[in-house]
Amino acid sequence: MTTTGIPQPPAPREYSARATEIIAAARAVYEHDGPDALTMRRLGEELGIRAPSLYKHFADKQAVETALIEQSLAEVGAVCHRVVQKTQPGERVAALLRTYREYCVAHPNLYRLATSGPIDRAALTPGLEEWAGSPWFLAVGDPYLAQALWSFAHGMVILEIDGRYEDPSTLPSSWAAGAEAFTAAARNQ
Amino acid sequence: MTTTGIPQPPAPREYSARATEIIAAARAVYEHDGPDALTMRRLGEELGIRAPSLYKHFADKQAVETALIEQSLAEVGAVCHRVVQKTQPGERVAALLRTYREYCVAHPNLYRLATSGPIDRAALTPGLEEWAGSPWFLAVGDPYLAQALWSFAHGMVILEIDGRYEDPSTLPSSWAAGAEAFTAAARNQ
DNA sequence: TGACGGCAGCTAACGTCGTTAGCCATACTG
DNA sequence: CAGTATGGCTAACGACGTTAGCTGCCGTCA
């Protein structure tokens, strides 16, 4: 990976037309009604099909969820790469954090699915995770600080999504405090 | 809450002797064998009892899990308060982060249960969450920066626990980078 | 044209899960 | 000694993921 140009995402997995429909339906259910709503029976219902028929297209429920995870990683990666590319170096940390929060809060269920709990990395498209994470490196220029910054952003987002902050109205100030700390650290890196 | 002395934790909920045994068994199963292993039937088996009998002691499975969450919050809160109290101001951020990571990584399943996913705050002992979070404020002296620091720590820990870092050997450097950034921010606060 | 094979649906069913209803023995308590 | 609360039990329900096995349709090729 060079630091010039936008790293290209790995080629997305190919799905049949019907499988693509299933993924779209699964995403709609998952995003609107939450994790517990996505059952094989409900998913079939959404498509005018019985649950066992889904197994003609996907090995199991986990495979459907993996497709959703990959969609989410690809989207968030694209959004982050774009903002890093079109921002001045000194503004990158703040801009990246702002963009990340915006995307993640807009897709809370999908984001939680993609980033929480153990993951079967072998089932994921190789390179996708790394590509989705590289904007953080581009923003601060140091791999360790990048990992710390991404962890901060993830912590902020996931705790917000899960409603763990007692007073959410304080969140903008906390984002600002974190952005300032990491921007300063990136400067002195 | 004043900033002098150690804030006392709220009084823990009272449980009958049998309920306490059940919680202990649930914790053992949950910590050793993970979230999926804790079923009502398995929990009963562990106690030489049938699953439906558990409902004589707890309203539902969620109530058992809430007890585990409260245990975890109380423990991690105690550990953090202790380290903040016995550390010099300039070293508090680093020491607190070190301690937090140590506890959480030692109890990964419990930590994930206590901090991930939506929470039924009404079912929690009032004040427990706030008390468990106050060491972060004591470490940096600013509520917003404290929230940011805690979010950073949570992000680092939960991603480590869930195996989301491609190369875990880089983690100490990332913790160090984050500690430095937040220590500097707390100084200039 | 007609046989064939595979794709994509179906029903029936299995085992596991949380949970409820209802029964019964033991042990306090009046 | 009667009565009641406590804490077990079995049987069962509905929802879940998943499998087995059947069927109808459609394109291909002799």
Side-chain angles (χ1 to χ4, degrees):
Chain A
M1 189 190 70
T2 73
T3 54
T4 62
I6 318 178
Q8 285 308 105
R13 212 189 295 268
E14 302 275 352
Y15 292 101
S16 72
R18 192 55 164 150
T20 306
E21 285 178 21
I22 294 174
I23 294 170
R27 172 163 182 168
V29 170
Y30 203 99
E31 286 206 272
H32 297 139
D33 295 350
D36 295 346
L38 185 65
T39 70
M40 297 304 266
R41 285 170 176 86
R42 164 77 188 275
L43 182 51
E45 200 175 304
E46 216 72 26
L47 293 152
I49 267 179
R50 303 290 165 154
S53 303
L54 294 167
Y55 291 82
K56 301 290 180 178
H57 303 277
F58 290 90
D60 50 22
K61 191 186 179 187
Q62 180 60 54
V64 180
E65 290 180 346
T66 296
L68 296 186
I69 291 173
E70 296 200 329
Q71 263 195 17
S72 180
L73 289 178
E75 284 181 18
V76 77
V79 163
C80 290
H81 272 292
R82 199 173 315 132
V83 71
V84 164
Q85 188 208 9
K86 70 173 186 184
T87 309
Q88 298 302 319
E91 306 293 327
R92 277 184 185 154
V93 168
L96 180 54
L97 290 176
R98 206 160 33 237
T99 302
Y100 193 72
R101 182 188 183 196
E102 194 178 334
Y103 175 86
C104 298
V105 169
H107 305 85
N109 288 318
L110 209 56
Y111 180 77
R112 194 188 298 110
L113 173 66
T115 60
S116 294
I119 196 173
D120 179 11
R121 184 160 283 127
L124 236 53
T125 302
L128 178 57
E129 253 186 320
E130 193 197 345
W131 172 79
S134 54
W136 305 96
F137 172 76
L138 298 176
V140 298
D142 173 83
Y144 306 123
L145 193 60
Q147 217 165 40
L149 177 59
W150 171 54
S151 303
F152 162 70
H154 171 69
M156 289 291 295
V157 163
I158 198 71
L159 291 168
E160 177 176 6
I161 287 175
D162 287 345
R164 303 307 268 241
Y165 295 110
E166 315 214 21
D167 181 4
S169 72
T170 63
L171 283 178
S173 300
S174 288
W175 280 101
E180 210 173 316
F182 279 102
T183 300
R187 227 186 343 253
N188 310 339
Q189 147 222 15
Chain B
M1 187 190 70
T2 72
T3 54
T4 61
I6 318 177
Q8 285 308 105
R13 210 190 295 270
E14 302 274 352
Y15 292 101
S16 72
R18 193 55 164 151
T20 306
E21 285 178 22
I22 293 174
I23 295 170
R27 173 163 181 168
V29 169
Y30 203 98
E31 286 206 270
H32 297 140
D33 295 350
D36 294 346
L38 185 65
T39 70
M40 296 304 266
R41 284 170 176 86
R42 165 76 189 277
L43 182 51
E45 199 174 305
E46 216 72 26
L47 294 151
I49 266 179
R50 302 290 164 155
S53 302
L54 295 167
Y55 291 81
K56 301 289 181 177
H57 303 276
F58 290 90
D60 50 23
K61 189 186 179 187
Q62 181 60 55
V64 179
E65 290 179 345
T66 295
L68 296 186
I69 291 173
E70 296 200 328
Q71 263 197 15
S72 180
L73 288 179
E75 284 180 18
V76 76
V79 163
C80 290
H81 271 293
R82 201 172 315 134
V83 70
V84 164
Q85 189 208 9
K86 70 172 188 186
T87 309
Q88 297 301 320
E91 306 294 326
R92 277 183 186 156
V93 168
L96 180 54
L97 290 177
R98 204 161 34 236
T99 301
Y100 194 72
R101 181 188 183 198
E102 194 179 334
Y103 175 86
C104 299
V105 169
H107 306 84
N109 288 317
L110 209 54
Y111 179 77
R112 193 188 298 110
L113 173 66
T115 60
S116 294
I119 196 173
D120 179 11
R121 183 160 286 126
L124 236 54
T125 302
L128 178 57
E129 254 186 319
E130 193 198 345
W131 173 79
S134 53
W136 304 96
F137 172 75
L138 298 175
V140 297
D142 173 83
Y144 307 123
L145 192 60
Q147 217 164 40
L149 176 59
W150 171 54
S151 303
F152 162 70
H154 171 68
M156 289 291 295
V157 162
I158 197 70
L159 291 168
E160 176 176 6
I161 286 175
D162 287 345
R164 302 307 268 240
Y165 296 110
E166 315 213 21
D167 181 3
S169 73
T170 63
L171 284 177
S173 299
S174 288
W175 279 100
E180 210 172 319
F182 279 101
T183 301
R187 229 184 344 254
N188 311 338
Q189 151 221 14

